[in-house]
Amino acid sequence: GTLAEIKERGKLIIGTEPTFPPFEYVNEKNEIVGFDIDIAQKIADELGVELEIVNLPFDSLIPALMSDKIDLIVAGMTITEERAKVIDFSIPYFNANQAIVVRGNEGFMPATLEDLKGKRVAVQLGTTGDLVVSDIKEIMVTRFQKFTDAFLELQNKRVDAVVLDEAVANAYVKTFPKFVVSAIIDTGEKYGIGVKKGNTELLEFVNTVVSNLFKSPYDLLVEKWFEE
Ligand code: GLN
């Protein structure tokens, strides 16, 4: 919806896929929490509305935004040229690369994507991790909607590796020390918040909230007392 519609409704509706810690995941209390959720909450607070979170498969987020089922995508989504053809993105708010995760105890320690040739690799459907491995035809790719299922597949030895965003790989490895990150693939990605094309007022509002996040309390004081 537009800025006016969101205020009228009293609710900001965001879409996300919560198997992506620490950006969005389901906690012990069965709540969706994380870095992205805190950003979304800030946007809702600034708008003076409630936040509603819709849990969707990652590859359904863009269609949901385009058909007005959600107002924003806040899902650790990388700004790509392909996606930017169909939706708009906020200014970048996080840098990312891809990581290769393997079982730690078997001596298979791929250092590059090339090392995954002839191997079975799990990814999340429609992610940039899916794209980088699908580019190499010798890799046998299995695509999951949930990263939790991709890691279950790795645990059960039905795949040899999982490829996903670095910060999220680190979070999974911390929780499940039997897995290790064997390599970082420098993809130079940047996350943005997805906004429907043409929804300019909302995009500008989101950009203001995000750019304010980068300002220190000192910057904000200088702005308050010396600028404008
Ligand atoms: N950053 C990756 C992408 O945009 C993965 C995002 C995710 O799985 N939530 O494709």
Side-chain angles (χ1 to χ4, degrees), residues 17-214:
E17 194 294 302
T19 67
F20 204 63
F23 296 95
E24 40 268 336
Y25 62 99
V26 179
N27 70 8
E28 324 69 48
K29 294 186 224 151
N30 223 31
E31 303 157 333
I32 299 177
V33 297
F35 183 89
D36 280 342
I37 307 307
D38 282 356
I39 293 181
Q41 187 63 59
K42 279 230 152 54
I43 298 167
D45 290 348
E46 294 290 327
L47 281 164
V49 299
E50 294 296 305
L51 177 66
E52 181 178 320
I53 304 165
V54 181
N55 179 343
L56 289 166
F58 188 76
D59 72 323
S60 299
L61 290 168
I62 290 179
L65 182 69
M66 292 175 76
S67 60
D68 288 314
K69 290 193 181 70
I70 55 177
D71 301 311
L72 297 173
I73 299 171
V74 193
M77 185 175 273
T78 302
I79 303 167
T80 69
E81 229 174 89
E82 227 25 57
R83 291 170 182 164
K85 283 179 192 158
V86 291
I87 63 169
D88 283 336
F89 283 101
S90 70
I91 55 167
Y93 69 91
F94 201 86
N95 296 327
N97 290 301
Q98 293 300 301
I100 303 176
V101 178
V102 294
R103 291 179 299 275
N105 51 0
E106 290 169 25
F108 175 57
M109 283 298 240
T112 63
L113 286 173
E114 300 291 300
D115 292 344
L116 296 176
K117 285 182 176 174
K119 300 286 181 183
R120 302 160 303 173
V121 176
V123 295
Q124 187 181 50
L125 179 66
T127 57
T128 47
D130 185 359
L131 286 179
V132 293
V133 297
S134 299
D135 258 358
I136 302 176
K137 65 175 189 310
E138 295 90 341
I139 300 178
M140 291 167 273
V141 185
T142 318
R143 298 173 183 85
F144 292 91
Q145 283 188 337
K146 297 178 180 174
F147 279 114
T148 43
D149 290 335
F151 280 105
L152 208 58
E153 201 79 347
L154 182 63
Q155 176 181 314
N156 294 336
K157 307 194 180 190
R158 286 192 292 261
V159 295
D160 308 298
V162 178
V163 172
L164 76 168
D165 298 34
E166 180 177 3
V168 180
N170 289 335
Y172 273 102
V173 165
K174 207 166 164 193
T175 312
F176 304 104
K178 57 179 174 263
F179 302 137
V180 296
V181 173
S182 72
I184 302 298
I185 317 298
D186 188 356
T187 51
E189 298 171 52
K190 288 178 192 313
Y191 295 167
I193 293 170
V195 184
K196 192 182 183 184
K197 267 203 191 297
N199 199 351
T200 323
E201 272 186 354
L202 181 60
L203 178 65
E204 280 166 10
F205 191 89
V206 168
N207 279 339
T208 306
V209 176
V210 174
S211 62
N212 282 335
L213 285 176
F214 291 110

